[in-house]
Amino acid sequence: MIRFDYRAPASLDEMFGLLEEYGDEAKLIAGGTALVILMKQRLVRPSVLVSLAGIEALRGIEAANGDPSAGSGQGLRIGALTTHREAETSELVRDRLPVLADTFRKVATVRIRNVGTVGGNLAHADPAQDPPATLIALGASVELTSASGRRAVPIEDFFTDYYETALQPAEIVRAIRVPSLPPRSGAVFHKFLPRTADDYATVAVATVISLDEAGQACRDVRIGLSAVGSTPVRARQTEAALRGQPLTEERIREAAAVVKSEVDPISDIRGSAEYKRDMAEVWVRRTLQQAVAQARGGS
């Protein structure tokens, strides 16, 4: 491990002061599950680590009722220092957005989930991580904060390139806001990984669909994918092929086929690019079928 100094501020103001003092020499650390590995590999060489662990303003899971940025109904606000395990086991998350709890349950191993944080996961911007797919499908936004104020960014706009985000210098992820599901909705996440259960996915897909009053046509739909591009992907063309249409088996299959033109995977040990495109179509179709059945009250 490289040599570095360590600072542990107790407030956001103190943390922003340290970032101003040390500038590019400083790196923020939350759970450290990614940063420590990068430091050991000499890919990142900060002279100062600024820990976020003591900043209580970044913790907690709470209802976001009445907050326009969180959507209508019983939305959630999840603090950036919330661990994956805390989000997975939270009764509030399980009750209001079970698909989100299910997604966090599938991240790596329980040892990693006990340390890795929701905000750190997003700021790291690994395109193969699981939570971004579901957060995109749920229409979440990322609350960012700096010494000069706060702003909110739709999560599909937060990821800008491979391991790059919309974060500005001296700006941090403060929280994630997730709206509630509309009536007559289904929400499903699947992580396809033919290797071990703690591996990165070959492809991960989350689908949220809401039906019209008759329960036959698509009123709205959002589809997020991970591990199929330089950033997590929102499948807008696939969504457009479904929105306002009757949800027949044929329509679902036709729409799922569209996703192959929306993804740009690379070939690696988890599959060739062609295989990943095929799997994206397969798992978009399956999540759509299951989300529709869920919205209609099926299993």
Side-chain angles (χ1 to χ4, degrees), residues 166-184:
L167 279 166
Q168 299 298 311
E171 188 175 48
I172 67 167
V173 176
R174 182 170 184 139
I176 297 88
R177 291 184 175 271
V178 192
S180 60
L181 292 174
R184 296 178 297 280

Side-chain angles (χ1 to χ4, degrees), residues 123-193:
H124 182 51
D126 187 330
Q129 296 280 15
D130 305 321
T134 299
L135 291 169
I136 286 172
L138 288 169
S141 61
V142 187
E143 184 182 313
L144 309 179
T145 189
S146 67
S148 59
R150 299 189 199 183
R151 64 188 179 110
V153 177
I155 192 161
E156 61 261 37
D157 298 331
F158 179 71
F159 306 103
T160 58
D161 207 340
Y162 194 59
Y163 288 95
E164 294 183 10
T165 71
L167 279 166
Q168 299 298 311
E171 188 175 48
I172 67 167
V173 176
R174 182 170 184 139
I176 297 88
R177 291 184 175 271
V178 192
S180 60
L181 292 174
R184 296 178 297 280
S185 290
V188 176
F189 171 77
H190 275 301
K191 178 180 182 180
F192 173 58
L193 63 177

Side-chain angles (χ1 to χ4, degrees), residues 192 194 202-203 265 270-281:
F192 173 58
T202 297
V203 59
R270 298 172 186 87
S272 67
E274 182 181 4
Y275 178 69
K276 291 180 182 181
R277 286 192 183 91
D278 288 341
M279 289 300 98
E281 177 184 358

Side-chain angles (χ1 to χ4, degrees), residues 200-233:
Y200 283 125
T202 297
V203 59
V205 181
T207 293
V208 174
I209 195 164
S210 57
L211 310 183
D212 63 4
E213 292 185 2
Q216 298 303 314
C218 172
R219 189 177 67 83
D220 198 13
V221 60
R222 291 178 63 101
I223 301 169
L225 299 97
S226 294
V228 290
S230 59
T231 68
V233 173

Side-chain angles (χ1 to χ4, degrees), residues 5-8 14-27 46-50:
D5 290 333
Y6 183 81
R7 300 288 184 269
E14 187 180 351
M15 183 269 296
F16 287 130
L18 289 169
L19 292 182
E20 183 177 359
E21 177 181 352
Y22 292 106
D24 293 340
E25 294 298 311
K27 273 285 186 183
S47 61
V48 180
L49 285 187
V50 179

